[in-house]
Amino acid sequence: MGKFYSDEQVQEALAALEACAPGSWETLKRLASITRPHTEDEEVELTSITRVFDIVFPKLQFVAQAIDLDEARFELNLDIGNAVRAAIASDRDSSQLFKR
């Protein structure tokens, strides 16, 4: 899952996001699945989750202890994006199995 951080660290970050903003995981997956331009309401949701990132990420020990906080947050954001894309692909693969 993670390219920069371990799977456990990515899971810790996702759990912290979910604790701060319940439903954020499903919202991230839903918004990432949209192929058309986002509506204004969807942009507001995305902005809200980004703000939660700003609150949660610095509180994570592995981010707080990083030499470059901005780089650590950026890398964690990339890893969470990878996790979201992997979950979407897995969901699609699972739904294809049920169609057979």
Side-chain angles (χ1 to χ4, degrees):
M1 181 186 327
K3 178 178 178 184
F4 299 100
Y5 291 100
S6 69
D7 290 352
E8 292 79 19
Q9 289 170 316
V10 174
Q11 289 299 325
E12 179 183 343
L14 290 171
L17 286 171
E18 202 59 37
C20 186
S24 57
W25 174 247
E26 291 303 320
T27 301
L28 284 169
K29 289 191 327 182
R30 182 175 48 79
L31 292 174
S33 296
I34 296 172
T35 56
R36 59 167 167 67
H38 289 133
T39 65
E40 188 174 325
D41 288 342
E42 291 163 346
E43 287 293 337
V44 168
E45 283 182 293
L46 198 52
T47 300
S48 297
I49 289 179
T50 301
R51 288 183 178 155
V52 173
F53 286 3
D54 290 340
I55 294 166
V56 171
F57 287 178
K59 294 178 181 178
L60 297 168
Q61 183 178 10
F62 59 92
V63 172
Q65 293 178 345
I67 294 170
D68 184 339
L69 182 60
D70 290 332
E71 183 71 18
R73 291 166 62 175
F74 176 75
E75 290 171 346
L76 183 55
N77 198 0
L78 291 176
D79 279 349
I80 287 178
N82 289 336
V84 168
R85 284 185 291 283
I88 291 168
S90 177
D91 290 349
R92 285 184 183 144
D93 290 346
S94 294
S95 68
Q96 294 299 323
L97 289 175
F98 293 115
K99 289 182 180 180
R100 294 180 184 171

